[in-house]
Amino acid sequence: MKALVAVKRVVDYNVKVRVKADESDVDIGNVKMSMNPFDEVAVEEAVRLKEAGKISEIVAVSLGEKKCEETLRTALAMGADRAVHIETDAKLESLTVAKMLKAVADKEQSQLVLLGKQAIDDDANQTAQMLAALLNAPQGTFASKVVLSENEVVVTREIDGGEETVALTLPAVISADLRLNEPRFVKLPNIMAAKKKPLEKLTPEDIGVSTEARVRVIKVSEPKARQAGIKVVDVAELVAKLKNEAKAI
């Protein structure tokens, strides 16, 4: 069984991003970039399934500029067998990403597609759902537990107020939540070995997907600073302020 794992290069979660002076976008120049944390969990889960003998091959795929190779090499160091890089400098929207992933999934004939439930840069949380629709495949989103068998995968997923367990026939799409696992620490020998693993280069034209944007960003701005809170002496004063000033009651 072959698994396809999508990984995205994003600003490291420890970095506080800033808006450009012209408010056209977020300034990511000279900041640390890393693999999207949710995608890292997806890679780890694929590797664990392979170690358990459930998966025979893991193919990592990333879309974007040339530097995405670094993210793919990290996935290879974690345990992926080979990688596919669709190189483009265009800013990709969720639907475009889903179409590209579908093209790769069809090409690879993968029975399981794993990816993070969302990317921490745009927080769209829609690529996995779009991909499942394009593939006409069942989906298990917000996965916190994955049990894979020969013909189906049982996914425990996070929902409002609890958990839901669903059984999906293969091929299927799974989006990983942070509770799914704890990604391993990549050792230096694995990093060195990853440099020798195959990495295939493609372009959007090779897979027949247009990168034309459908959404135009008008302005990016910092959120307004929160006003300082005030202290009240007792409950009566609190109720009075809520009623007379805030008009909340």
Side-chain angles (χ1 to χ4, degrees), residues 23-164:
E23 296 187 325
S24 62
D25 205 343
V26 173
D27 188 2
I28 60 173
N30 301 316
V31 301
K32 182 182 178 183
M33 307 292 285
S34 302
M35 183 188 298
N36 179 46
F38 292 96
D39 296 341
E40 193 175 9
V41 171
V43 175
E44 174 65 25
E45 190 64 21
V47 173
R48 293 188 184 189
L49 290 171
K50 184 181 178 183
E51 291 173 342
K54 302 294 185 179
I55 289 175
S56 57
E57 185 181 26
I58 302 171
V59 182
V61 57
S62 189
L63 325 170
E65 61 180 347
K66 182 175 177 57
K67 290 182 179 179
C68 288
E69 289 183 18
E70 300 170 6
T71 307
L72 286 171
R73 291 297 178 190
T74 300
L76 292 171
M78 290 178 67
D81 298 290
R82 56 189 178 87
V84 177
H85 179 204
I86 302 177
E87 187 172 349
T88 175
D89 291 328
K91 191 166 185 178
L92 302 176
E93 298 170 358
S94 298
L95 181 57
T96 305
V97 171
K99 288 180 178 180
M100 289 184 175
L101 292 178
K102 177 188 182 299
V104 177
D106 289 341
K107 177 176 176 290
E108 295 290 342
Q109 292 295 297
S110 52
Q111 286 129 319
L112 189 65
V113 181
L114 290 157
L115 64 164
K117 73 170 186 178
Q118 65 193 77
I120 62 172
D121 52 1
D122 56 18
D123 271 337
N125 181 20
Q126 56 189 3
T127 301
Q129 294 88 331
M130 289 178 171
L131 176 59
L134 292 172
L135 289 171
N136 193 27
Q139 58 180 295
T141 54
F142 320 123
S144 60
K145 184 179 179 181
V146 174
V147 179
L148 181 62
S149 61
E150 185 176 350
N151 297 314
E152 71 173 16
V153 56
V154 177
V155 177
T156 301
R157 56 189 301 268
E158 303 283 339
I159 60 172
D160 291 340
E163 296 179 339
E164 179 184 59

Side-chain angles (χ1 to χ4, degrees), residues 173-240:
V173 177
I174 297 175
S175 68
D177 209 338
L178 292 179
R179 294 187 185 183
L180 183 57
N181 60 55
E182 182 71 29
R184 67 193 63 195
F185 177 78
V186 181
K187 299 179 180 179
L188 181 59
N190 294 337
I191 295 174
M192 300 304 293
K195 295 180 180 180
K196 298 180 180 179
K197 291 185 178 181
L199 193 156
E200 182 182 2
K201 303 283 287 187
L202 297 171
T203 65
E205 292 74 23
D206 293 333
I207 57 175
V209 177
S210 171
T211 59
E212 181 181 358
R214 295 172 175 81
V215 177
R216 181 169 58 91
V217 176
I218 298 175
K219 180 183 178 182
V220 178
S221 58
E222 296 274 3
K224 293 182 179 179
R226 295 181 62 180
Q227 294 182 348
I230 59 173
K231 292 183 179 181
V232 294
V233 176
D234 51 28
V235 175
E237 184 182 356
L238 173 62
V239 172

